[in-house]
Amino acid sequence: MQEIDRAEQAYTHCIADIQESLSAIGLLPNNFEILLIAYKEEDILNVYAKNKASESYRFLMSFPVLTRSGTLGPKKKEGDKQVPEGSYRINRFNHKSKYHLSLGINYPNDYDQAQQYTGSDIFIHGGTKTVGCLPIGDPAIEMLYTLASLAKANGQEEIPVYIFPFVLDADAIKKHKRQYPLETINRWEELAILHSQLQKQLK
């Protein structure tokens, strides 16, 4: 019996909804790019999109992150169950994942390697189980996998994925100062600058 191609099946399930969602913010399915932002404390993954000529993104859709392992703070080593924090990109499309479908991110990135952080195989994936990944369930990963595949097929060479501990502002960081080491707080303050810059690109 021939194995069903999960990516093709996902496309069939999701393409009409994707076209409708893109059309609702004035985008065409052959001329768009996406950007992903996850907030760990809020357990949410937001998707933004723009046409290739635009400088700013518009909100497209969001998915709840169904389970979270570890605590707030960066991933530092293999097996620590932490979800990474920082600026990443999708570097793998896995249509044979044990979690239905999955999108790999490039952890450890240059910053992580400079800190001598270790680990591998961090994914946004289906299902609900996780050890350091972002599980969003099978229907949601079908939608996101198809959306990312379309963006890539239409020329988006890098799909950014930003993972933040929470919505980074001064009050939020202050709230967590007593619970986390100075090293983590300093990193969050660095990421807060990135977060602020990113917000200027979003509508």
Side-chain angles (χ1 to χ4, degrees):
M1 182 175 178
Q2 187 175 7
E3 181 182 0
I4 296 173
D5 188 303
R6 296 178 209 166
E8 291 182 6
Q9 191 175 51
Y11 180 92
T12 301
H13 290 166
C14 301
I15 187 59
D17 287 341
I18 286 172
Q19 289 173 337
E20 183 178 347
S21 296
L22 290 169
S23 178
I25 59 171
L27 298 178
L28 298 172
N30 63 350
N31 181 23
F32 74 95
E33 296 182 344
I34 60 171
L35 174 151
L36 312 181
I37 303 177
Y39 295 103
K40 288 163 64 171
E41 189 169 55
E42 290 80 2
D43 292 317
I44 197 77
L45 175 64
N46 293 329
V47 184
Y48 298 84
K50 69 177 184 69
N51 69 47
K52 295 174 185 178
S54 178
E55 293 295 322
S56 59
Y57 291 82
R58 298 187 64 183
F59 176 78
L60 183 64
M61 60 184 68
S62 66
F63 305 106
V65 177
L66 302 181
T67 313
R68 179 172 17 119
S69 67
T71 62
L72 300 181
K75 180 175 183 62
K76 295 184 177 182
K77 61 182 179 180
E78 185 79 53
D80 65 5
K81 300 183 180 180
Q82 287 291 100
V83 177
E85 295 175 359
S87 173
Y88 300 95
R89 58 180 169 80
I90 290 173
N91 65 354
R92 283 168 288 175
F93 287 73
N94 184 4
H95 67 284
K96 294 186 177 181
S97 170
K98 64 180 179 179
Y99 300 107
H100 191 49
L101 295 166
S102 62
L103 297 167
I105 69 168
N106 66 319
Y107 174 90
N109 62 14
D110 291 343
Y111 173 87
D112 300 322
Q113 292 179 51
Q115 311 309 307
Q116 298 186 319
Y117 295 167
T118 62
S120 59
D121 293 334
I122 302 299
F123 290 89
I124 304 166
H125 60 65
T128 59
K129 296 180 181 179
T130 182
V131 182
C133 297
L134 298 172
I136 60 175
D138 291 356
I141 194 60
E142 287 195 354
M143 180 75 74
L144 184 58
Y145 190 100
T146 303
L147 187 67
S149 297
L150 283 173
K152 181 182 178 183
N154 285 300
Q156 185 172 5
E157 295 181 2
E158 291 197 357
I159 298 175
V161 182
Y162 296 91
I163 306 176
F164 296 113
F166 42 81
V167 177
L168 283 163
D169 57 39
D171 289 341
I173 293 174
K174 184 178 179 180
K175 184 182 79 170
H176 289 89
K177 270 192 173 180
R178 292 184 179 180
Q179 300 170 265
Y180 292 89
L182 181 60
E183 177 188 10
T184 299
I185 298 301
N186 288 342
R187 176 57 176 159
W188 287 349
E189 289 176 343
E190 291 175 358
L191 289 177
I193 296 171
L194 173 63
H195 184 264
S196 178
Q197 293 170 343
L198 192 56
Q199 295 304 306
K200 295 174 183 177
Q201 298 179 52
L202 308 179
K203 288 184 178 180

